[in-house]
């Protein structure tokens, strides 16, 4: 408030000073009166515009934050790519266990892995953009940041891809079917992926709702 009053006084002083004739301060004509009135009107318009400008800036920042938070929804694409990668590994392992030719499936895995890397890179960019406008507590409470996403992807894919090399007998020397193990791990990975998708959507929806 004090800064505003000082600015007003300074501006008024400038106006009166610029209008003062060099001979006598009080001797000026009707043109000077209109000039002074126009200057005061300009000053008032500027003062009125300041709150409007501040309001516009706040609205712009708020809209930009919502836009960046909405960008986090591309994590769905990363999870979809991970579904495809897990499915490709599942088919490949089953093919190896049967002793069939796996050349086509190796190419499919490579394609699925490439898509996974592409989608996680896109999400990482969205996360970096969103972090700029997020509060520290919002960043801390968001569960599916890129590091966790990448770690989760590595975990579920490895659990399927390594079944081919696991021992056929458990600790009690009971023979285990690798196909049953594969089916179990594949189904578990799908459940884990489904839960991850639900969690990420809950976090994103909660962030956006809290900032509307």
């Amino acid at each position: 408030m004090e800064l505003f009053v000082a600015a007003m006084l300074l501006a008024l002083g400038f106006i009166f000073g610029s209008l003062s004739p060099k001979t006598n301060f009080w001797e000026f004509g009707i043109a000077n009166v209109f000039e002074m009135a126009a200057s005061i009107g300009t000053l008032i318009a500027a003062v009125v515009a300041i709150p409007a400008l501040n309001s516009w800036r706040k609205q712009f920042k708020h809209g930009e934050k919502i836009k960046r938070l909405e960008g986090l929804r591309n994590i769905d694409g990363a999870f979809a790519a991970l579904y495809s990668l897990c499915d490709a590994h599942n088919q490949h392992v089953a093919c190896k266990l049967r002793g069939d030719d796996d050349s086509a499936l190796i190419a499919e895995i490579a394609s699925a892995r490439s898509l996974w890397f592409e989608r996680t890179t896109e999400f990482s960019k969205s996360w970096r953009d969103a972090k700029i406008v997020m509060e520290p507590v919002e960043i801390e409470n968001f569960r599916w940041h890129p590091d966790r996403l990448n770690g989760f992807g590595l975990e579920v894919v490895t659990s399927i891809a390594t079944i081919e090399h696991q021992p056929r007998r458990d600790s009690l020397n009971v023979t285990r079917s690798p196909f049953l193990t594969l089916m179990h791990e594949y189904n578990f990975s799908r459940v884990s992926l489904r839960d991850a998708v639900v969690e990420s959507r809950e976090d994103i929806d909660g962030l956006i709702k809290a900032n509307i």
Side-chain angles (χ1 to χ4, degrees):
M1 185 62 181
E2 292 82 358
L3 183 62
F4 172 75
V5 173
M8 288 285 292
L9 292 175
L10 181 63
L12 289 173
F14 173 78
I15 292 171
F16 281 105
S18 64
L19 296 176
S20 300
K22 295 181 180 179
T23 56
N24 191 330
F25 176 81
W26 298 105
E27 295 177 1
F28 54 91
I30 190 66
N32 299 107
V33 173
F34 282 113
E35 186 178 349
M36 181 185 296
S39 299
I40 294 175
T42 302
L43 176 63
I44 293 174
V47 171
V48 171
I50 290 174
L53 179 61
N54 289 335
S55 176
W56 177 83
R57 285 177 176 172
K58 289 180 181 179
Q59 291 177 1
F60 176 79
K61 289 181 179 179
H62 180 265
E64 183 66 18
K65 182 173 184 178
I66 296 298
K67 178 181 177 181
R68 295 191 182 199
L69 293 178
E70 286 283 0
L72 294 175
R73 295 193 186 279
N74 64 14
I75 194 175
D76 283 351
F79 282 129
L82 186 55
Y83 266 114
S84 298
L85 184 57
C86 287
D87 187 61
H89 275 287
N90 177 64
Q91 294 184 48
H92 177 252
V93 172
C95 179
K96 293 286 286 183
L97 291 174
R98 292 192 302 269
D100 297 338
D101 178 53
D102 64 345
S103 55
L105 292 172
I106 289 177
E108 186 175 337
I109 288 175
S111 176
R113 185 183 295 111
S114 178
L115 181 62
W116 160 247
F117 287 150
E118 179 181 331
R119 295 292 184 264
T120 53
T121 300
E122 290 174 357
F123 175 67
S124 295
K125 183 180 182 302
S126 296
W127 173 248
R128 289 194 301 270
D129 291 343
K131 281 179 67 178
I132 296 174
V133 296
M134 291 170 67
E135 299 294 332
V137 66
E138 293 175 331
I139 296 174
E140 182 180 353
N141 291 337
F142 191 80
R143 289 172 287 184
W144 284 97
H145 49 79
D147 287 343
R148 185 185 178 192
L149 176 63
N150 286 313
F152 174 73
L154 178 62
E155 180 182 348
V156 295
V157 168
T158 302
S159 68
I160 297 172
T162 58
I163 288 176
E164 176 192 356
H165 307 291
Q166 291 180 2
R168 298 291 186 266
R169 295 178 180 273
D170 60 20
S171 58
L172 298 177
N173 203 33
V174 176
T175 302
R176 296 182 302 177
S177 167
F179 290 99
L180 290 178
T181 303
L182 176 62
M183 182 176 65
H184 174 269
E185 289 296 337
Y186 179 62
N187 289 335
F188 182 76
S189 70
R190 291 181 63 86
V191 171
S192 299
L193 273 165
R194 180 199 63 194
D195 293 343
V197 170
V198 171
E199 281 186 4
S200 66
R201 290 178 178 176
E202 286 177 350
D203 285 0
I204 296 170
D205 289 342
L207 271 174
I208 295 173
K209 183 177 180 181
N211 284 278
I212 291 178

